[in-house]
Amino acid sequence: MSIMAWTAVILAAGKGTRMASCKPKALQMLAGRTLIGHVLNTLDNLSIDEAVIIHSPEAKSDFEEELIGRNNITYVEQKEALGTAHALKTALPHVSTDNLLVLLGDVPLLSGFTISKLQEEVKKNDLVVLTGTVDNPSGYGRICKDSDGKPSAIIEELDCDDEQRKIKEINSGIMAFKTNVATNLVEKIKPNPKKNEYYLTDAIEIAYHEGIQASTYLTSEEEVFGVNSKKDLSEAEKINRKNITDKLMDSGVTIIDPNRVDVRGTLSCGQNVTIDVNTVFIGDVKLGDNVTIAPFTIVSNSVIGDGTSIYSHSNIDGADIGSSCNIGPYARIRPQTKLEEGARVGNFVETKKSVIGKGSKVNHLTYIGDAKIGEKTNIGAGTITCNYDGVNKHQTKIGDEVFIGSGVELVAPIEVENGATVGAGSTVSKHVPADKLTIERSKQKTIDGWKRPTKKEEK
Ligand code: UD1
Ligand code: CA
């Protein structure tokens, strides 16, 4: 056991009844990530040596599946949800450090800074409770203090008298302990007479009577927000959204309406970026300088270069977009698309696993898949790269300064050489040579004396 080693015990075995969901509460999604995922992410940048997750028996595989790839996690089953103190007691045999943090799987917005403050506090005291002052304390345990300001008890809502119910300093449920102190206290907690559950909150009153050094650490209402219901979940989205948009605006991003931008991951922005309403950013997104994102646009896991404009209703996923490009409105840019400087992709165009070269244009109603397009090439409206033969995918290669007329089908594998022109309406399936017109179109004919059919009289 090293002196200042820490274990984070995350309690997530409760029934979560108020969520009215078949999914465990800690696996509900907030801003594109599970609640417990938020807690674990916060721990990532701190000096925490191991995490113990307390889960219900039926949720084991759900947790393991969701949190796959994360290291140093021990999953411990709490056979029956007998309360938060019982949950901690279940975890203790798996704690090998001399300090521990109790975190809740349903308190996702806690900051790493605050946790590190709790860790510092435990150097001075045996135990510290994280509290918040809230306007409406209902549903939270209330913090009672003696005349010296020392915490003397935490009273749960159901057990509060009228005076206690008015207390606005609440228990966040987050606590930090010296492990031996937690072990000693948890042993002494008796079931709550009303609910028949072991309340970890009772540890404070016992500590007070035993002269154990306990303190509180106060933080913002937003950080300690506990998520018990779907309404709480949407409230947490609101708080999280505000945290993110505040930071972005502080760094100079113009956000037309911060209530209508969702960031489900990490968004980094250069200078003079404008983000319009009803936009969603998913995963890792990087926007360069002078980028504008128009309404109803979704950008996932992509890089957008300097001076690029994304027009409304576009969906960009897994793409590398160069500088000074224009995309949309109504464009669908799928994974492994690369747009080089000054390329344009217009309305109702879908691209996938393709490169669109410098200054090239694909402006209307087109599918470009498994293709490489050179520089200054123009792809006419309604062009389709026929990349799939029903079994395998094939490549289309189009050179520089090519002109593809409207309504062309390029049956892959195929190459169109530099400077070639393909006539409108052609279905080309053979090599297209450079600097010539290639056309595949049946002769137009006009039939003399042809009569339009007329409507038959109904009998
Ligand atoms: C708890 C606190 C309350 C605090 C609030 C903060 C207690 C008795 N009450 O109330 O003082 O203000 O959190 O959000 O501690 N859990 C288990 N096993 C159990 C019971 C619960 O792992 O047997 C887990 C839950 O999954 C949840 C967390 O512990 O993640 C808190 O349980 P919950 O039932 O939500 O407690 P609250 O009523 O919110
Ligand atoms: Ca709760």
Side-chain angles (χ1 to χ4, degrees), residues 15-57:
K15 292 186 209 87
T17 325
R18 289 164 282 182
M19 204 46 91
S21 167
C22 55
K23 230 203 268 178
K25 179 163 60 173
L27 296 182
Q28 300 287 333
M29 300 298 276
L30 165 67
R33 187 173 288 149
T34 59
L35 295 179
I36 201 166
H38 282 270
V39 177
L40 290 166
N41 268 14
T42 308
L43 297 180
D44 278 347
N45 303 319
L46 295 167
S47 40
I48 305 286
D49 303 271
E50 53 185 28
V52 175
I53 294 179
I54 303 296
H55 61 80
S56 65

Side-chain angles (χ1 to χ4, degrees), residues 18 25 84 104-107 139-140 172 225-229 232:
R18 289 164 282 182
K25 179 163 60 173
T84 43
L104 305 187
D106 64 352
V107 180
Y140 290 108
S172 70
F225 188 78
V227 178
N228 293 316
S229 63
D232 292 342

